[in-house]
Amino acid sequence: MGKGRQIPLGIVAVLLLIACSSFQQIWASDDSDSDNDNDDAILYESFDETFEGRWLTSNKEDYNGVWKHAKSEGHDDYGLLVSEKARKYAIVKELDEPVILKDGTVVLQFETRLQNGLECGGAYLKYLRPQESGWKPKEFDNEAPYSIMFGPDKCGATNKVHFIFKHKNPKSLAYVEHHLKFPPSVPSDKLTHVYTAVLKPNNELQILIDGEEKKKANFLSGDDFEPPLIPAKIIPDPDDKKPEDWDERAKIPDPNAVKPDDWDEDAPMEIEDDEAVKPEGWLDDEPEDVDDPEAAKPEDWDDEEDGEWEAPKIDNPKCATAPGCGEWKRPTKRNPAYKGKWHAPLIDNPNYKGIWKPQEIPNPDYFELDKPDFEPIAAVGIEIWTMQDGILFDNILIAKDEKVAESYRETTWKPKFTVEKEKQKDEDLETGSDTLGGLQKKVFDLLYKIADIPFLSAYKLKIYDVIEKGEKQPNLTIGILVSVVVIFLTIFFKIIFGGKKQQRVVANNTRPAETSSNQSSGEKEESTEKEESDAAPRRRSARREN
C-alpha cells in the first residue's frame, strides 16, 4: 500500500479554530433561546382553535349569551365572538400558575373588534383572584372577585377604557375599588384595536391603544385614582352631629322692619300708555291675514268627508305698506307706582355660627405603602352585559416584558388593522364619503379628547351627550362641534373670570367674621319679577306700537 497522505498542520489549525468558533455560537444561541424562554408570554390565547374545553362558560341563568368561535370579518383569523344582542355573557380561563403582580413589570394586552359598532355595552376583561377568594368557574358572574378590570366600555354618558383595581385595606381588611381618573375614550369605529396596560415596579401605569400611550398614572397618586389608594390621614368624625340650636343663616329678615304705608303691593307692573297716539294710515278695517287668492280647492276634496274647504291664509299685502292693521290698542308702559311685594330687609344674624361641619379625627383606616399590595391573578374572565352583537375578542396576552407585547402587536394586530384600514378607505372612496367621513372621524376624536381634559371633568357628561347625538346624526357634525366649542368657551370664561362666590364654611368650634349683603332677598326677588314681567308686555305691544 502507498504511504498515507498527511494533512498539513496549517489546515488542522484552521479546522480547530472553526470548530471552537462554531461551539461558541451554539452555546451563545442556547443562552439566547433560554433568555427568550424567560420573555415568553405567561398566557397567550389566539383562539386559533376552538375555545371549548379550555374556556368555561358560566352556568348562571342570567348569563345566556352564546359565545362563538368565529372569524374576524374579512380575515382568516379566529376570535371569541359575542353572537347575540341584549344578553349577559360570562366565560373564564384559569391560568396554570397565578401571576404575582408585585414582582417586576406585568403587561396585560388583548384585542377587540366592534364589528357592528358599540352603542351600549362592555368589551373589557376581568383578571380574577384565586378561587379561594370565593368564586367558581361554572358560577362566574359579576360578583366574582377580581384584581384588575381593564378594557373599553360605552353606554350613555360612559365612554372610557376602564382600568380598575381592587386593593385590600390592611387596617379595615375591606377591598376597595380604585378607578383610573380621566381614562381614554373608546375608538369610534369598527376596526380591530389592541389595548395594553403596563404595570411597572416603580408604581407607574401606562395605558396604550394600538401601541400609542394614551394615559400614564401612578398607583399611589390621589390625582390619578378615585378613591386614592392611600386614604386621608384626617377624616370628618362620622359620629359628630350638628347641635339643634346651630344657626347657619348669615342674614335674616329684620324683625323690626315695617312695610311703609304707601307701599301698594297690588299696583300693576304695566299700565296703558295714555300718551300713545294711533299712527297715521293705520288700517283698522283690514285683517292681518287674508285667504290666499291663488289657492284652489283640490279636485278630490269631499265636503261630506273632509268638511268645508277653506283657503289657507297669507299675510295681508295691504298691511305691508301700512303701519298696522286691525284694531289698534294702546301699548303699555311701566307703572311708576309699581313696587311689587314688600319684603323686610335683611340684616346680619346675631346668632350666626357659620356653616356647620363635623370635627375632624384621625382616620382609623389610614395606612402607608411603598407600592400596592396587588392580589395575584389566577384567571382571565369576560363578564359583560351588552346591547350589541359582533364584539370579537382575540390575542389575549399576559407577559412580563413590554417587548413581548410589542412583538405580538406587530405580528398579530398590525397586519389586520392595516388591511381593515385600507378596506375602509376603499369603501369611503366608493361611496364618495372619504373626505366627509374622515373629517367626521377627526371631529369626533377631537371632541372625545376635549371631554377627557381634566378641568372639564364636571362637564364631561354634558359633552358626551352632545357627542353621542352627533355620532347618531353625522350630518350634524359641524353643528355638534360648534355646540361643544360653545360649552368649552363658557367653562373657560367661568374659570377665568370666576363664578358665584361660595359661602364660607367653618368648623363648629369657630365663628367667622359676619358678612354683609347690599341687597335683600326680597329686593332680588322683586328685581327678577320686574325683569321677567318687563320683557313679556314689551313683546306683546311691539306690533301695535309700530
Side-chain angles (χ1 to χ4, degrees):
M1 296 179 62
K3 192 174 182 180
R5 181 180 298 177
Q6 293 183 349
I7 301 176
L9 290 176
I11 296 176
V12 173
V14 171
L15 291 174
L16 287 173
L17 182 62
I18 293 174
C20 291
S21 176
S22 300
F23 181 76
Q24 289 177 347
Q25 290 180 0
I26 293 172
W27 184 266
S29 176
D30 289 342
D31 287 344
S32 176
D33 290 343
S34 177
D35 291 340
N36 289 336
D37 288 342
N38 291 334
D39 290 341
D40 282 346
I42 299 171
L43 167 72
Y44 175 61
E45 175 57 80
S46 66
F47 295 106
D48 289 340
E49 298 178 357
T50 179
F51 61 88
E52 294 178 0
R54 295 182 297 108
W55 289 70
L56 300 177
T57 56
S58 175
N59 289 336
K60 284 291 188 76
E61 183 178 354
D62 290 346
Y63 293 87
N64 54 4
V66 177
W67 295 99
K68 289 188 177 180
H69 183 237
K71 288 183 179 181
S72 180
E73 186 177 324
H75 303 289
D76 290 329
D77 185 44
Y78 282 87
L80 183 64
L81 179 68
V82 171
S83 64
E84 298 175 293
K85 297 180 180 180
R87 292 284 189 273
K88 285 185 176 181
Y89 292 81
I91 191 168
V92 66
K93 176 181 176 60
E94 293 186 76
L95 305 183
D96 294 335
E97 294 290 339
V99 178
I100 307 302
L101 299 177
K102 294 182 284 187
D103 300 334
T105 297
V106 174
V107 184
L108 311 175
Q109 182 169 287
F110 67 98
E111 297 174 14
T112 60
R113 186 180 184 188
L114 311 174
Q115 297 179 127
N116 298 324
L118 186 63
E119 294 182 4
C120 187
Y124 43 79
L125 269 58
K126 290 184 176 181
Y127 299 87
L128 304 170
R129 286 154 46 193
Q131 292 187 43
E132 290 76 14
S133 59
W135 68 280
K136 296 179 180 179
K138 284 295 185 180
E139 297 176 4
F140 176 42
D141 60 12
N142 64 327
E143 298 295 329
Y146 61 85
S147 288
I148 292 173
M149 181 173 128
F150 172 53
D153 187 19
K154 182 178 179 182
C155 193
T158 299
N159 185 330
K160 64 180 73 174
V161 178
H162 283 292
F163 187 91
I164 306 171
F165 72 95
K166 284 190 176 182
H167 191 273
K168 185 178 181 180
N169 184 306
K171 291 290 188 68
S172 67
L173 304 182
Y175 283 91
V176 179
E177 279 189 3
H178 301 276
H179 294 244
L180 179 65
K181 288 184 178 180
F182 315 117
S185 306
V186 181
S188 56
D189 56 42
K190 301 178 182 180
L191 309 180
T192 301
H193 294 283
V194 56
Y195 298 89
T196 310
V198 184
L199 290 70
K200 298 186 176 182
N202 63 351
N203 300 325
E204 185 178 277
L205 168 69
Q206 282 182 294
I207 302 295
L208 294 80
I209 301 179
D210 298 343
E212 179 182 348
E213 183 182 289
K214 296 294 185 179
K215 180 73 177 181
K216 181 181 288 186
N218 188 295
F219 286 110
L220 301 184
S221 171
D223 295 331
D224 292 334
F225 286 90
E226 179 63 36
L229 176 62
I230 307 299
K233 284 187 178 181
I234 304 297
I235 61 170
D237 184 354
D239 298 323
D240 194 12
K241 305 296 181 184
K242 182 172 70 174
E244 293 182 0
D245 62 347
W246 191 278
D247 196 337
E248 296 182 328
R249 299 173 299 164
K251 296 285 183 178
I252 59 172
D254 185 353
N256 299 320
V258 179
K259 183 174 71 173
D261 293 336
D262 62 346
W263 193 288
D264 185 2
E265 292 184 338
D266 298 325
M269 183 181 290
E270 297 282 336
I271 58 175
E272 200 173 75
D273 186 359
D274 295 330
E275 299 178 356
V277 178
K278 182 170 66 175
E280 293 185 7
W282 189 280
L283 305 178
D284 297 88
D285 299 328
E286 288 290 337
E288 295 179 354
D289 301 322
V290 295
D291 292 343
D292 185 354
E294 298 182 0
K297 180 178 179 180
E299 295 180 359
D300 59 348
W301 188 276
D302 190 328
D303 290 337
E304 293 184 0
E305 293 185 3
D306 302 325
E308 183 179 355
W309 181 81
E310 295 181 358
K313 299 290 186 180
I314 62 171
D315 291 338
N316 188 343
K318 295 181 181 179
C319 299
T321 56
C325 293
E327 181 184 0
W328 180 82
K329 294 181 180 179
R330 293 183 183 278
T332 60
K333 66 177 183 178
R334 184 176 180 81
N335 182 5
Y338 172 77
K339 294 185 177 181
K341 188 176 181 180
W342 182 83
H343 296 276
L346 296 180
I347 61 172
D348 292 338
N349 180 5
N351 298 319
Y352 176 65
K353 295 183 179 181
I355 303 300
W356 183 87
K357 66 176 183 179
Q359 293 182 343
E360 294 186 331
I361 61 172
N363 185 358
D365 296 331
Y366 174 76
F367 64 90
E368 293 183 358
L369 282 178
D370 293 331
K371 58 175 54 183
D373 188 16
F374 289 113
E375 298 284 347
I377 295 173
V380 177
I382 306 174
E383 184 276 316
I384 57 175
W385 174 87
T386 179
M387 295 298 293
Q388 205 71 50
D389 59 353
I391 301 174
L392 191 79
F393 294 88
D394 199 5
N395 295 314
I396 299 173
L397 170 72
I398 301 178
K400 287 194 173 183
D401 191 334
E402 295 178 67
K403 293 182 179 179
V404 174
E406 181 181 358
S407 174
Y408 276 103
R409 288 196 299 269
E410 289 294 319
T411 57
T412 65
W413 166 76
K414 195 169 185 178
K416 288 187 293 185
F417 182 79
T418 303
V419 170
E420 293 164 11
K421 197 74 174 176
E422 290 300 319
K423 183 179 179 182
Q424 185 184 57
K425 287 183 180 179
D426 293 340
E427 291 175 351
D428 289 340
L429 288 173
E430 289 177 4
T431 58
S433 61
D434 180 53
T435 303
L436 180 60
L439 173 62
Q440 289 170 345
K441 185 180 184 304
K442 289 180 181 178
V443 168
F444 288 125
D445 288 343
L446 172 63
L447 297 183
Y448 280 120
K449 288 181 180 178
I450 291 175
D452 284 338
I453 297 175
F455 80 86
L456 296 178
S457 59
Y459 305 88
K460 196 169 187 177
L461 299 182
K462 189 173 184 179
I463 297 175
Y464 274 155
D465 183 57
V466 175
I467 295 173
E468 288 179 357
K469 289 179 181 178
E471 287 182 314
K472 293 178 181 177
Q473 303 180 62
N475 57 312
L476 301 180
T477 298
I478 300 303
I480 296 297
L481 178 59
V482 172
S483 300
V484 174
V485 170
V486 170
I487 293 174
F488 178 81
L489 291 176
T490 302
I491 299 167
F492 178 77
F493 283 116
K494 186 174 181 180
I495 292 173
I496 295 299
F497 298 107
K500 186 177 179 181
K501 292 184 178 178
Q502 296 182 350
Q503 194 168 11
R504 188 173 181 179
V505 179
V506 299
N508 58 3
N509 56 356
T510 61
R511 177 173 177 170
E514 294 180 346
T515 57
S516 62
S517 174
N518 295 327
Q519 188 179 25
S520 69
S521 61
E523 291 170 335
K524 291 178 182 178
E525 182 179 338
E526 176 186 335
S527 176
T528 304
E529 289 176 355
K530 288 179 181 179
E531 291 173 0
E532 293 176 351
S533 302
D534 284 349
R538 290 195 195 101
R539 288 194 295 270
R540 289 195 296 270
S541 60
R543 185 167 186 172
R544 299 303 178 191
E545 290 172 351
N546 294 332

